[in-house]
Amino acid sequence: MVHRDFRLLCLAILATSFGFYIQRTVELWLVYQLTGSAFHLGLTGLVRGIPVFVLSPFGGVLADRIDRRRFVILVQTGNGVVNAGLAFLALTGLLEVWHIYVSAFMNASLNALGAPARNAMAPGLVPREMLLNALSFTAMSRKMSQLTAPPLAGFLIFLLGAGPSYAFNACVYLSAAFLVTAIHYVSDVSGVRESPFRSLMEGFAFVRREAVVWVSLAMELITVYLGSHRALLPIFVTALGAGAQGFGLLLSASAAGAILGVAVIMSLGDLRYKGLWMAFGLFVYSVFLAVLALSEWFLLAMAAVLLLGFFEAVQMVICNAIVQAMTPDRLRGRVLSFQRMMGVGGTSLGEAQSGFVAAFIGAPLTLIAAAAVCAGTTLGLLTFKREIRKADL
């Protein structure tokens, strides 16, 4: 029964991630078709980024105070309704740009509030010794949707148009809600008496107190912020003369590398010395940042990007396993919301800072500097924080 419930959760995560990438692809296409403006395309990212920073902590508080399963069902149903509304507007010819912005904000807000509760369910459905493999499965689900959903969305737009594409996506989100209804899961919300603000501060205090947790989160932030490289890929593609098709191949290589990395972690089972493995993944990630920066051939750049995706996935999955295993269930939603802020929010900020720095010193030098800082910071954390070097985390 435990494994059955976890399989249902994995399918729900797959459907949720699939729905996100379909909606994101369709909205970008429609915004550009309606406006022809790169500024408006960038604005969709800003509209989606704000809720991550503002609402994620509150999603963590909710995850530790209410029934997680019911809340996830409500969030997924809400996403289905949003997409159904977009389908109606598109089919009736009433869809305008501001509708897409509002729907993007609502989708991001619902995901920011619901993700901590959904992610916090996994440890309650599998034994501790299987947690690393379980989280590898959930990561694999997300990466598979990242690889397959955008091409499917493009095909649906071409074949059926925006309205049916949104209608299809509404069914995807509602199927995720249906899958969660079939999961047998009981939230531990007993004894919650303090105010929401005190609950939030308790989560912060736990992260600050537990060195293994905050060091793991720091390594994740280093990867997505200091080691950010995706925003610079068009620069390298242009310099190598590969064009738009080359850019698409690099993005696919990154997703393929991530899937391969998750598969390797799954095959290894419950690793010992997880902290050292996580640090190793980040250190090698730094090496391939430098390789990408110095690449003079497209195939070398593609190999570097594939391995960046591979080692990023290795580091992220192990980090997630450490944080989930170290965190008590009553605090798990709040701690995972902080992790989401760093992972998702840090990615957006990392792309901004890499672009800003590259404007002054160039893309190759930006990545070389980032590689040096990532490697040096990793070695420093390993040296001064012995807790991360423990065998059993």
Side-chain angles (χ1 to χ4, degrees):
M1 181 64 70
V2 169
H3 303 301
R4 165 199 174 272
D5 291 330
F6 179 73
R7 285 195 295 270
L8 289 173
L9 178 64
C10 272
L11 289 173
I13 290 173
L14 175 63
T16 300
S17 186
F18 208 80
F20 167 80
Y21 285 111
I22 287 178
Q23 182 169 343
R24 183 70 174 134
T25 303
V26 176
E27 77 186 23
L28 287 172
W29 175 260
L30 285 181
V31 166
Y32 194 67
Q33 290 298 303
L34 292 171
T35 67
S37 168
F39 172 81
H40 283 85
L41 287 174
L43 192 56
T44 64
L46 179 63
V47 166
R48 283 186 169 276
I50 291 173
V52 175
F53 287 98
V54 177
L55 297 179
S56 288
F58 297 100
V61 172
L62 285 171
D64 292 332
R65 297 172 71 90
I66 64 176
D67 188 307
R68 291 169 183 163
R69 174 177 164 274
R70 292 182 179 179
F71 186 54
V72 172
I73 293 170
L74 179 64
V75 166
Q76 304 300 52
T77 303
N79 274 321
V81 171
V82 168
N83 277 266
L86 287 168
F88 172 79
L89 292 171
L91 290 170
T92 56
L94 300 175
L95 186 67
E96 298 181 12
V97 173
W98 71 269
H99 294 134
I100 301 174
Y101 288 140
V102 170
S103 67
F105 183 84
M106 293 176 66
N107 179 246
S109 299
L110 288 167
N111 289 338
L113 290 171
R118 183 178 63 249
N119 295 338
M121 290 176 64
L125 299 176
V126 295
R128 180 186 173 97
E129 63 272 13
M130 295 184 63
L131 183 59
L132 181 59
N133 263 12
L135 296 177
S136 297
F137 271 110
T138 62
M140 178 72 80
S141 299
R142 294 186 179 95
K143 294 302 179 182
M144 286 299 297
S145 65
Q146 183 181 354
L147 185 66
T148 58
L152 175 61
F155 177 76
L156 289 173
I157 294 170
F158 173 77
L159 188 65
L160 302 175
S165 299
Y166 277 128
F168 172 80
N169 206 34
C171 295
V172 171
Y173 272 120
L174 292 175
S175 71
F178 177 77
L179 287 166
V180 177
T181 62
I183 296 175
H184 299 282
Y185 180 86
V186 179
S187 296
D188 181 12
V189 295
S190 59
V192 178
R193 296 290 184 270
E194 71 271 19
S195 68
F197 178 77
R198 287 180 64 87
S199 292
L200 187 62
M201 290 301 101
E202 185 184 10
F204 275 118
F206 173 80
V207 172
R208 187 177 65 250
R209 183 174 65 251
E210 294 292 335
V212 172
V213 173
W214 74 254
V215 170
S216 299
L217 294 180
M219 287 188 179
E220 179 172 359
L221 184 61
I222 289 168
T223 304
V224 300
Y225 181 74
L226 294 177
S228 177
H229 64 279
R230 289 183 179 87
L232 303 182
L233 290 181
I235 299 174
F236 290 100
V237 168
T238 301
L240 295 171
Q245 290 179 329
F247 179 55
L249 286 173
L250 285 185
L251 291 178
S252 297
S254 179
I259 292 171
L260 182 60
V262 173
V264 169
I265 292 296
M266 290 170 58
S267 70
L268 294 176
D270 187 31
L271 289 170
R272 302 192 73 203
Y273 297 100
K274 292 184 180 68
L276 293 179
W277 278 103
M278 180 173 59
F280 171 76
L282 179 51
F283 188 82
V284 180
Y285 180 91
S286 305
V287 172
F288 284 104
L289 276 178
V291 172
L292 175 61
L294 299 173
S295 296
E296 296 184 356
W297 304 281
F298 178 74
L299 289 179
L300 179 59
M302 190 170 178
V305 171
L306 185 143
L307 290 168
L308 283 169
F310 178 93
F311 285 104
E312 180 182 4
V314 168
Q315 187 265 331
M316 297 278 184
V317 171
I318 296 176
C319 171
N320 200 16
I322 292 173
V323 172
Q324 294 251 28
M326 295 289 296
T327 305
D329 186 67
R330 65 183 186 84
L331 293 172
R332 190 168 285 124
R334 280 162 282 179
V335 174
L336 292 182
S337 72
F338 304 147
Q339 184 179 15
R340 180 177 173 81
M341 284 179 61
M342 291 185 179
V344 179
T347 298
S348 299
L349 292 179
E351 291 178 353
Q353 70 86 23
S354 65
F356 179 76
V357 174
F360 286 90
I361 66 175
L365 191 55
T366 297
L367 289 191
I368 291 173
V373 174
C374 287
T377 307
T378 302
L379 292 175
L381 289 172
L382 279 177
T383 301
F384 295 105
K385 289 297 174 182
R386 293 177 296 176
E387 296 91 341
I388 205 68
R389 304 198 300 266
K390 291 180 180 179
D392 299 307
L393 290 178

